[in-house]
Amino acid sequence: MADRKAAEVEHLERRVRRRRGPKDVILSKLSRSFTCSTARLKVTLTGFFPVVKWLPKYKLKEYAWGDAMSGLIVGIILVPQAIAYCLLAGLEPIYGLYTSFFANIIYFFMGTSKHVSVGIFSLMSLMVGQVVDREVYLAGFDLSEEGKPAVTSLNDMWNGTVIFNTSAVNLTLGGYSLVCGKECYAISIAATLTFLAGVYQVLMAVFRLGFVSVYLSAPMLDGFATGASLTILTVQAKYLLGLKIPRHQGYGTVVVTWINIFKNIHMTNFCDVITSAICITVLVAGKELQDRYKSRLKIPLPTELVVVAMATLVSHFADLGGRYSSSISGAIPTGFIQPEMPSFQLMPRVALDAIPLAIISFAFTVSLSEMFAKKHGYTVRANQEMIAIGFCNIIPSFFHCFTTSAALAKTMVKDSTGCQTQVSSLVSAFVVLLVLLIFAPFFYSLQKCVLACIIIVSLRGALRKFRDVPEQWRLNNVDAIIWTVTMSASALISVEIGLLVGVVFSMLCVVVRTQNPKVALLGQIPDTSHYEDLGEYDNLLAVPKVKIFRFQAPLYYANKDSFLKSLYKAVGLEPFLEVAKRRKAEKRAKDPATKQAKSSDSINGNVATVLVTRDIHTIILDCSAMPFIDTPGMLTLKLVMKDYKGIGVSVLLACCNPPVIDALKRGFVFGPGHKDMDSLTFHSVHGAVLYAYDNVDAEMAV
């Protein structure tokens, strides 16, 4: 009785909902969205800050040791990398430490992955550095000298006045006057860029635009990373040689930079060259030992930290900067700088540059989160990951930080050293904090070539992708072409253009593949009800007077012509040509001369057949590989059925997906009320074949 009443109530509610218009439905959804209650507030907070849910359940005895060790090791690796990647970003080392500290803290509160390590990433640093150097150059600073402007005046900028003196820029913005040198201006650009990238990521999460990442295919991302790695290698090469040449602005960074390097090769600093050779040898040897004996080593070798420590001591006591003019890091202050708002005046200048940063950052973060979640048997919320990485950019931008994302190498280190939760990120942040408060000044004498060595050796994984190209070509030549095109565009033009080229080219490859898909005529596997490609398998039986055609792609506006051409070619019967032949034959049959010739042939026993004999009575379209059909495709299919029917050939459809059936229904392909549907569509190819023969036998009997 209770079930009956509940069913009646549900039925009435459905009727009421059907009576409501779109306006009522929208208002109802908005009302539910803005309704506030204690339960709703709790769900919102736990969703926005996942740490509230999992931290109270933290198993201290089981998780503490693994989290502490992985956090400590990642923190030790993070410090030299944070300082080194500032070379790529065109910023002072202190800002890399700030970025690493704040990103780890914020992701601890907002991330849903247990293993992802968020912080400085070489690719993000390069992209930030390109924007920073461009804007610093346009502002008049000489990129080859520290903090010295190349011009003495500049016109109005950002609705304010910019006047250069010998060491700084006087900015008049919104009624406030301040002095800003090259370093100040560079971090202002980076922080504003980072703020916008974070805002874009949060907006993408709010509007559920995470599907954008599906257009970043694996071959495209690999090619993009490899091309960017070549750019990073090129940008850092000058530090290995001790050359003081500015970073090239515009397209063709790799080519132009190498030309400049060879032009200035006579100015090589041999102290930096010797230091670089020693550091690269030690770093590569450490990485190789780590890879070879990783099953025996309980913790990764802190090779970068050892190299940095030893190189700093040697540089300090040997006074390499003073005696040999080796470029050194310089003073790294301790403590934190007062937070500042990102510059609203700079936002229009970098708004477009923030878009690829936002997309690449969230794509790497979400993919890494899902990969390690699948490995360890838990789930992550992709939308919350986008929000988390967005706020890992928005909030730190107020504290003089630049763009971050998840990093594969450090995430793998966390995973291999027993990480259980994001408590490890807190430990890593604490290690960075110690450096910020105590140890930062000790890096004063560290040579920049040592930092460049750390960056270059970290590119080994991406650069090794060149070895995989022949194997990739063997597996899938289209993917190999996508990789090559994206890599070449990223390296030879620019990283941003390479990303755009990779996405567009990948989509074009999909279009080309669907425009010219594989087609096949099917034959029957002996003694079974299954059918396969006659061109791929031997010993298949062709079905007499029945052609079974498979089109392995969606049928839509871009490939409808290809569908018709391949169908006519495979079947060997084109309706228009057949109609023309029959009309011509009929005309000849009525011609008196033809009749006289026919009479003569009859006397000799050679009666010519005027009408073309029918070798095919049925065409079966196997639609199992056709996921959808659009309106032009539906009209094409409707035309095919009509044209073949006009010459006495039936067209049957087999194995249609529901979207295809729905489209054909909407196009009235099956006649009024879909009365012909049962005689035109079949669940299997074999069912269509049996119907074709039964139908022909019935016609012959009549």
Side-chain angles (χ1 to χ4, degrees):
M1 192 69 177
D3 294 339
R4 183 178 178 183
K5 287 183 178 180
E8 290 176 355
V9 170
E10 186 179 353
H11 176 68
L12 288 172
E13 288 179 349
R14 282 201 303 268
R15 291 184 62 186
V16 170
R17 284 198 296 269
R18 280 198 296 267
R19 289 177 183 173
R20 292 188 302 173
K23 181 180 178 181
D24 297 325
V25 174
I26 293 173
L27 289 175
S28 176
K29 288 184 177 180
L30 287 174
S31 176
R32 287 197 300 270
S33 298
F34 290 100
T35 299
C36 186
S37 64
T38 304
R40 187 177 181 84
L41 181 62
K42 183 179 179 181
V43 171
T44 303
L45 285 175
T46 55
F48 200 69
F49 297 105
V51 66
V52 176
K53 187 178 290 185
W54 62 261
L55 190 58
K57 302 175 184 178
Y58 189 81
K59 300 176 182 178
L60 191 63
K61 292 183 179 179
E62 295 182 28
Y63 297 164
W65 177 253
D67 284 341
M69 287 302 299
S70 65
L72 180 64
I73 292 166
V74 170
I76 290 171
I77 296 172
L78 195 59
V79 169
Q81 287 190 353
I83 297 173
Y85 289 161
C86 285
L87 288 180
L88 287 174
L91 301 168
E92 296 298 316
I94 189 67
Y95 302 122
L97 297 172
Y98 289 160
T99 302
S100 299
F101 174 75
F102 285 106
N104 277 281
I105 294 290
I106 295 167
Y107 192 80
F108 165 77
F109 287 102
M110 302 187 70
T112 60
S113 173
K114 299 178 182 179
H115 297 84
V116 160
S117 176
V118 173
I120 289 185
F121 184 38
S122 58
L123 180 55
M124 296 292 102
S125 301
L126 172 68
M127 296 174 74
V128 170
Q130 289 179 332
V131 179
V132 167
D133 280 357
R134 183 195 70 203
E135 293 302 318
V136 167
Y137 175 79
L138 292 176
F141 288 104
D142 187 350
L143 298 182
S144 64
E145 299 181 39
E146 297 294 330
K148 190 179 292 185
V151 298
T152 57
S153 64
L154 195 65
N155 292 326
D156 289 351
M157 193 175 183
W158 324 309
N159 298 321
T161 303
V162 183
I163 302 174
F164 289 90
N165 55 34
T166 56
S167 60
V169 186
N170 294 326
L171 301 180
T172 303
L173 301 172
Y176 294 94
S177 179
L178 57 126
V179 177
C180 192
K182 178 183 175 182
E183 177 188 339
C184 165
Y185 186 66
I187 191 58
S188 296
I189 292 289
T192 304
L193 182 69
T194 300
F195 175 81
L196 285 177
V199 170
Y200 291 158
Q201 289 167 335
V202 172
L203 289 176
M204 291 171 74
V206 170
F207 292 105
R208 307 282 177 175
L209 297 180
F211 68 88
V212 174
S213 62
V214 303
Y215 296 104
L216 306 177
S217 64
M220 191 278 290
L221 281 176
D222 284 344
F224 174 69
T226 305
S229 297
L230 287 175
T231 305
I232 294 170
L233 173 64
T234 300
V235 170
Q236 297 304 298
K238 65 179 183 180
Y239 294 108
L240 301 185
L241 301 173
L243 299 177
K244 294 179 173 60
I245 55 176
R247 186 183 297 187
H248 172 68
Q249 302 301 308
Y251 302 136
T253 296
V254 171
V255 176
V256 174
T257 301
W258 281 111
I259 291 174
N260 289 336
I261 287 174
F262 285 113
K263 281 183 178 179
N264 295 275
I265 199 71
H266 60 281
M267 300 174 64
T268 298
N269 187 309
F270 289 100
C271 175
D272 285 345
V273 171
I274 295 170
T275 303
S276 300
I278 295 172
C279 290
I280 288 177
T281 302
V282 174
L283 287 168
V284 171
K287 296 291 184 183
E288 292 297 328
L289 288 173
Q290 177 70 44
D291 293 341
R292 182 171 297 184
Y293 299 107
K294 59 183 177 182
S295 58
R296 301 181 186 179
L297 296 172
K298 295 183 178 180
I299 61 173
L301 297 173
T303 315
E304 290 96 341
L305 187 64
V306 172
V307 167
V308 166
M310 296 302 296
T312 303
L313 290 173
V314 171
S315 176
H316 174 72
F317 289 106
D319 191 18
L320 299 181
R323 295 174 62 185
Y324 302 103
S325 301
S326 181
S327 182
I328 59 175
S329 298
I332 303 177
T334 56
F336 292 90
I337 304 173
Q338 183 178 354
E340 292 180 5
M341 283 280 293
S343 173
F344 289 101
Q345 287 80 11
L346 290 173
M347 287 183 185
R349 301 182 65 85
V350 297
L352 290 178
D353 299 297
I355 295 174
L357 271 170
I359 293 174
I360 293 298
S361 175
F362 97 77
F364 275 105
T365 302
V366 171
S367 60
L368 277 179
S369 299
E370 292 178 343
M371 181 174 71
F372 281 90
K374 188 180 295 184
K375 177 181 178 181
H376 292 277
Y378 62 92
T379 58
V380 294
R381 291 183 285 126
N383 212 55
Q384 178 60 26
E385 285 295 297
M386 284 197 290
I387 292 175
I389 196 64
F391 278 95
C392 282
N393 287 317
I394 292 174
I395 297 174
S397 68
F398 290 82
F399 296 90
H400 313 282
C401 300
F402 54 95
T403 315
T404 60
S405 76
L408 176 61
K410 290 188 282 291
T411 301
M412 293 182 67
V413 169
K414 286 181 72 171
D415 180 44
S416 63
T417 51
C419 172
Q420 299 293 330
T421 68
Q422 282 298 327
V423 169
S424 61
S425 294
L426 280 184
V427 179
S428 298
F430 179 73
V431 174
V432 177
L433 182 63
L434 286 177
V435 175
L436 278 169
L437 297 180
I438 302 172
F439 299 108
F442 292 99
F443 295 102
Y444 177 90
S445 300
L446 178 61
Q447 294 166 273
K448 288 185 177 180
C449 64
V450 177
L451 300 176
C453 292
I454 293 173
I455 294 172
I456 290 172
V457 172
S458 71
L459 302 175
R460 288 163 64 249
L463 296 176
R464 280 176 175 172
K465 295 290 183 181
F466 282 103
R467 299 189 308 185
D468 301 334
V469 174
E471 178 66 14
Q472 193 177 45
W473 178 268
R474 188 184 64 81
L475 294 175
N476 191 315
N477 53 10
V478 175
D479 286 347
I481 293 172
I482 291 172
W483 183 92
T484 304
V485 169
T486 308
M487 183 275 299
S488 302
S490 301
L492 300 178
I493 305 175
S494 73
V495 176
E496 293 81 5
I497 295 297
L499 176 63
L500 180 62
V501 168
V503 171
V504 172
F505 187 76
S506 298
M507 296 175 69
L508 285 176
C509 287
V510 173
V511 173
V512 169
R513 282 196 245 189
T514 57
Q515 275 188 311
N516 299 284
K518 184 177 180 180
V519 297
L521 278 179
L522 306 186
Q524 186 178 17
I525 300 174
D527 303 322
T528 70
S529 59
H530 301 290
Y531 297 78
E532 278 301 339
D533 186 352
L534 285 167
E536 294 288 340
Y537 300 94
D538 297 328
N539 303 321
L540 297 181
L541 302 176
V543 182
K545 295 187 180 296
V546 174
K547 297 291 186 181
I548 307 169
F549 178 76
R550 178 189 289 164
F551 188 73
Q552 301 185 39
L555 180 56
Y556 68 115
Y557 70 94
N559 64 7
K560 58 185 179 63
D561 294 333
S562 175
F563 170 79
L564 290 174
K565 290 178 183 178
S566 57
L567 175 64
Y568 296 154
K569 183 178 179 181
V571 172
L573 181 63
E574 189 168 346
F576 293 107
L577 295 179
E578 182 68 16
V579 169
K581 286 179 183 178
R582 292 185 182 185
R583 286 176 180 173
K584 188 175 182 180
E586 289 175 359
K587 185 177 180 181
R588 290 182 61 193
K590 293 178 181 178
D591 185 56
T594 304
K595 289 182 179 180
Q596 183 67 30
K598 181 179 178 181
S599 175
S600 175
D601 288 340
S602 297
I603 296 172
N604 298 327
N606 299 322
V607 181
T609 303
V610 176
L611 295 178
V612 179
T613 58
R614 190 172 66 174
D615 293 330
I616 304 170
H617 62 70
T618 304
I619 295 173
I620 298 173
L621 300 180
D622 179 5
C623 302
S624 58
M626 193 180 293
F628 68 87
I629 181 172
D630 68 354
T631 301
M634 179 269 296
L635 293 175
T636 301
L637 195 57
K638 190 175 182 178
L639 182 66
V640 165
M641 298 172 76
K642 178 184 176 182
D643 290 345
Y644 275 110
K645 185 178 181 180
I647 60 173
V649 177
S650 300
V651 177
L652 308 178
L653 307 178
C655 309
C656 292
N657 293 317
V660 174
I661 292 292
D662 292 340
L664 297 179
K665 284 181 178 179
R666 289 193 297 270
F668 298 102
V669 175
F670 305 125
H674 316 308
K675 61 183 181 64
D676 298 330
M677 184 172 172
D678 292 339
S679 61
L680 293 176
T681 60
F682 299 87
H683 294 294
S684 67
V685 173
H686 191 63
V689 171
L690 295 178
Y691 177 85
Y693 279 109
D694 291 343
N695 193 38
V696 170
D697 292 342
E699 288 181 358
M700 292 178 65
V702 173

